[in-house]
Amino acid sequence: MRSETDGRCVAGFAIESGGFDTEALQSRLAGRRMGWRIHYLPVVDSTNRLALQLAREGAAEGTVVFADCQTRGRGRLKRIWQSPPGRNVYASILLRPDIDPADATRITLTAGVAVAEMISIFCPEGVGLKWPNDVFIRERKVCGILTEMKTKGKALDALVVGIGLNVNIAGRDFDPEYRQSATSLREETGRIFPREDVALRLCDSFEKWYRIFLDEGFVAIRERWLSHSRMLGRRVRVLFQGEVQEGLVVGIDLDGALLLDDERGVVRRIIAGDASIMKG
Ligand code: BTN
């Protein structure tokens, strides 16, 4: 049961967490390219894992898996994505683009633009992107994106874009290690969001930016990504497989690689890693 006061949900866990009305979501997504077919699970280990399984079984592009809660939500670099029930959006979008597996980063960056544009509607100030896959509001992470793929020989067969968006989780409910570095739409706006609305907007925004990627190429995405970037002109440190690279961010290239100027005149392409912005 839900009750609302001035557009804000009040009192009690189920109310506080906002609803996830999947029937309404399914009917609102009818006819869309992204989300024309949805799978909703109250509990799943990982929506990405399930979406990859559906891909192996032949599911078509635009299939989206949502869950209320994940028991082993997958983060980058084998981390666990905190996925409590009743609060957030966990979504995995299945794609079958005709691209090279090496170009998958471009889709991750496209998804980042789609999320940043969508949440900028709720938070007009402070939304930013950190390469390759984090969406921030001010200094805190609100969304993580994990792209996984299935190949057939050397060709890409399917891509799964997993999006974990912190929607109604309260700051005190983050795991202690993330309390200083994570945020949610609720923390930033003081509002509770019906999650099916957020899920619908997410599918719409992704559909828009994915279409731009397919029709106009990555150049258009890169421009928008850089306009949201929190890194351009900043010194960053990138850690990948035990190796550290530092430098000034001068852009991203057409493969989605981060371009780092080592301040001795050499610009390096970074294709993977965990980037942190250096203070000062
Ligand atoms: C990151 O480490 O920043 C990426 C986190 C990605 C989490 C999402 S939640 C929905 C989807 N299913 C998963 O198992 N992971 C992604």
Side-chain angles (χ1 to χ4, degrees):
M1 201 175 101
R2 288 173 58 153
S3 66
E4 305 211 353
T5 306
D6 297 324
R8 290 182 63 160
C9 304
V10 290
F13 179 80
I15 295 165
E16 183 186 54
S17 62
F20 203 157
D21 182 342
T22 48
E23 271 175 35
L25 180 61
Q26 178 79 83
S27 67
R28 288 166 75 186
L29 283 169
R32 304 284 217 288
R33 183 168 174 179
M34 292 298 139
W36 67 276
R37 174 93 167 89
I38 66 170
H39 295 256
Y40 171 78
L41 290 303
V43 185
V44 71
D45 52 351
S46 153
T47 55
N48 266 26
R49 201 248 344 121
L50 180 57
L52 284 166
Q53 181 187 317
L54 293 169
R56 277 192 295 277
E57 292 165 3
E61 171 158 292
T63 301
V64 183
V65 179
F66 290 104
D68 183 44
C69 141
Q70 301 182 111
T71 54
R72 287 197 66 79
R74 298 180 186 169
R76 284 180 73 231
L77 308 172
K78 301 204 163 42
R79 294 182 187 127
I80 295 286
W81 185 256
Q82 190 189 345
S83 309
R87 290 158 160 77
N88 300 324
V89 169
Y90 316 112
S92 295
I93 303 173
L94 172 54
L95 305 173
R96 295 193 184 270
D98 186 12
I99 61 168
D100 199 81
D103 292 339
T105 307
R106 299 176 185 183
I107 304 265
T108 306
L109 298 177
T110 302
V113 168
V115 174
E117 292 275 317
M118 189 275 277
I119 62 179
S120 294
I121 296 167
F122 306 125
C123 305
E125 302 293 326
V127 175
L129 289 165
K130 182 165 87 69
W131 183 90
N133 70 332
D134 293 341
V135 188
F136 277 69
I137 304 179
R138 284 171 270 279
E139 298 304 314
R140 291 167 188 247
K141 179 164 166 173
V142 68
C143 173
I145 298 165
L146 179 69
T147 302
E148 298 187 83
M149 70 175 85
K150 175 185 168 316
T151 50
K152 220 182 228 164
K154 288 198 172 131
L156 181 73
D157 183 33
L159 265 188
V160 167
V161 179
I163 300 172
L165 177 59
N166 297 329
V167 179
N168 292 328
I169 185 168
R172 62 179 178 275
D173 292 333
F174 284 113
D175 288 344
E177 60 179 305
Y178 299 122
R179 233 166 258 166
Q180 298 307 315
S181 60
T183 192
S184 65
L185 296 182
R186 171 189 178 166
E187 284 295 309
E188 297 299 324
T189 62
R191 291 171 52 200
I192 297 288
F193 294 85
R195 284 179 297 155
E196 69 273 7
D197 274 359
V198 177
L200 177 74
R201 286 173 189 271
L202 184 64
C203 289
D204 275 352
S205 188
F206 186 81
E207 180 163 331
K208 173 182 166 184
W209 288 98
Y210 181 59
R211 202 179 283 273
I212 291 173
F213 170 76
L214 295 178
D215 293 349
E216 298 172 31
F218 185 64
V219 179
I221 304 296
R222 179 174 71 165
E223 203 174 295
R224 192 54 74 101
W225 194 93
L226 287 170
S227 77
H228 284 292
S229 169
R230 313 167 53 74
M231 304 174 93
L232 209 55
R234 311 269 305 264
R235 296 204 77 228
V236 302
R237 176 177 291 137
V238 184
L239 181 65
F240 184 57
Q241 294 180 340
E243 209 182 298
V244 177
Q245 309 249 26
E246 283 182 13
L248 204 64
V249 176
V250 290
I252 51 175
D253 71 9
L254 286 176
D255 295 326
L258 187 69
L259 297 176
L260 271 196
D261 184 331
D262 72 355
E263 294 169 87
R264 290 188 302 263
V266 179
V267 174
R268 291 212 168 83
R269 295 178 69 247
I270 310 292
I271 56 166
D274 212 16
S276 50
I277 296 172
M278 294 164 74
K279 300 260 184 272

